[in-house]
Amino acid sequence: MEYRNLGNSGMKVSAVGLGTNNFGGRMDKPSSALVLDKALELGINFIDTSNSYGRGLSEEYIGDSVLGKRHEYIIATKAVSAVGEGANQRGASRFHLINELEKSLTRLKTDYVDLYQMHYTDPTTPIEETLRALDDMVHQGKVRYIGCSNYASWQLCEAVWTSKMLHLETFVSVQPDYSMLNREIEKELLPFCEEYGVGVLPFYPLASGFLTGKYRPGKEPPEGTRLAGNERSRQRLLTDKNFSMLGKLEQFASERGHPLVELAIAWLLFQPKVSSVIAGATKPEQLNANANATQWELTMEEMQELDNILSGKSEE
């Protein structure tokens, strides 16, 4: 397994991380434990969760599974998402974040979180209030590093510069939706992260499973898959153009002796400032392909060929 610095921090995270939004939902505690054990066996130390995943069960399952080996994992969790109906049951206020961190620590059965992330921006709370609360958590020893998720480039810029001006802890990472099929962050967010040393943690690296090849043209999405009950995502992803691109990507990977999943992750790992690719898994064996992707180092020539495929410039 390859390990990379998380942004400009000194903490090392596995180049492929484990996303756990299925824990407590599609997966029960025993199956979650099997995946976590397999991750550690493969050298995957970066575990990403949230206080909202599985209505808190994801954190509980992780906490139970890592007892006695907490030091071997880098645990990242999040807050801001709604966790109840009350007015203060969501957001990035000092009030809400302090309450939620304590609940997360209890569920995770630990006294610190390695990376505490703002799941979304909160337009109702000044960024200074959020950053001062996070800064306090770091100084209290309850949080090691702070990061964010789903921030636009200007929102990340505002947060980083507010931290610098006020001499507060700053975000070391950002989680965006980033894959071969969604390259929106390359316009502004990725250049900003390069310039200011913010680590990028892509989620949905397989484009909701499209880049696994499980969806085929003219056929209904298999039962239990992410697109089976999501009409909006189906219309966006299951297009003739994307299926044509998929075939070319499958051929590219096959000619080099790799499955498509490995190509999707290896492509992301080539991108600047990507610290770790967050990939989910519902079965231990799925982690093998994720981990194997770190051994495939694409060349500049291969990346150019892939860019031609993704941009529609490749020859028919």
Side-chain angles (χ1 to χ4, degrees):
M1 176 57 62
E2 175 192 355
Y3 296 91
R4 300 181 172 190
N5 285 60
L6 179 63
N8 58 7
S9 80
M11 184 168 68
K12 303 291 194 299
V13 294
S14 50
V16 170
L18 173 63
T20 63
N21 61 335
N22 287 318
F23 288 15
R26 296 171 62 191
M27 300 170 64
D28 58 16
K29 184 186 288 189
S31 60
S32 300
L34 287 174
V35 168
L36 282 165
D37 287 343
K38 182 64 174 181
L40 196 60
E41 177 187 323
L42 294 171
I44 297 174
N45 70 350
F46 185 59
I47 312 298
D48 181 75
T49 185
S50 168
N51 65 339
S52 61
Y53 292 168
R55 297 185 177 182
L57 287 178
S58 177
E59 289 182 328
E60 284 188 23
Y61 292 175
I62 292 170
D64 289 337
S65 297
V66 305
L67 279 176
K69 46 192 174 183
R70 168 68 180 91
H71 63 286
E72 298 186 67
Y73 290 97
I74 302 298
I75 297 179
T77 192
K78 312 180 193 76
V80 175
S81 297
V83 291
E85 297 298 326
N88 288 301
Q89 293 299 300
R90 69 187 69 198
S93 69
R94 174 181 290 272
F95 179 91
H96 182 68
L97 293 180
I98 289 175
N99 287 341
E100 288 308 306
L101 175 62
E102 293 303 323
K103 292 176 185 177
S104 289
L105 292 175
T106 298
R107 288 190 289 261
L108 290 166
K109 295 179 175 58
T110 184
D111 55 4
Y112 69 95
V113 168
D114 297 290
L115 177 64
Y116 200 45
Q117 304 160 106
M118 299 299 93
H119 209 154
Y120 303 94
T121 58
D122 176 11
T124 69
T125 301
I127 190 64
E128 180 179 342
E129 177 180 341
T130 299
L131 292 169
R132 286 193 183 278
L134 295 173
D135 187 76
D136 288 344
M137 293 173 181
V138 173
H139 287 285
Q140 291 164 0
K142 296 181 179 181
V143 169
R144 299 283 172 82
Y145 298 95
I146 60 174
C148 61
S149 177
N150 296 295
Y151 273 46
S153 55
W154 71 266
Q155 293 165 328
L156 179 58
C157 179
E158 179 187 30
V160 168
W161 273 95
T162 299
S163 295
K164 289 181 178 293
M165 287 188 296
L166 299 177
H167 305 290
L168 302 173
E169 290 290 325
T170 190
F171 291 148
V172 298
S173 62
V174 60
Q175 280 195 34
D177 183 348
Y178 186 30
S179 69
M180 283 179 152
L181 291 190
N182 184 359
R183 303 173 64 182
E184 185 67 24
I185 73 163
E186 294 177 0
K187 295 178 182 177
E188 294 184 357
L189 185 64
L190 200 57
F192 177 87
C193 291
E194 287 185 68
E195 184 68 23
Y196 289 92
V198 179
V200 178
L201 304 170
F203 65 82
Y204 289 169
L206 304 178
S208 297
F210 185 83
L211 293 173
T212 66
K214 69 175 65 173
Y215 304 110
R216 311 312 297 184
K219 295 184 178 181
E220 287 293 307
E223 286 296 322
T225 60
R226 189 181 295 275
L227 297 186
N230 192 326
E231 186 62 30
R232 183 178 179 183
S233 292
R234 287 172 63 173
Q235 292 180 358
R236 176 173 56 86
L237 288 171
L238 306 184
T239 65
D240 291 341
K241 178 182 177 181
N242 282 348
F243 279 122
S244 175
M245 183 189 305
L246 183 70
K248 295 173 184 176
L249 293 174
E250 287 178 322
Q251 181 179 350
F252 179 98
S254 177
E255 289 174 350
R256 291 158 177 79
H258 293 274
L260 182 58
V261 169
E262 290 184 21
L263 174 61
I265 294 176
W267 181 87
L268 283 169
L269 290 174
F270 188 93
Q271 307 301 328
K273 298 312 297 179
V274 169
S275 295
S276 183
V277 175
I278 300 172
T282 56
K283 299 177 182 179
E285 52 267 27
Q286 292 175 337
L287 291 172
N288 290 316
N290 298 350
N292 288 341
T294 65
Q295 306 303 313
W296 186 4
E297 294 186 15
L298 293 163
T299 66
M300 287 296 296
E301 291 74 18
E302 288 175 324
M303 287 297 292
Q304 182 59 58
E305 184 177 343
L306 288 168
D307 189 64
N308 290 338
I309 293 174
L310 297 176
S311 62
K313 296 178 181 177
S314 61
E315 295 182 359
E316 296 295 329

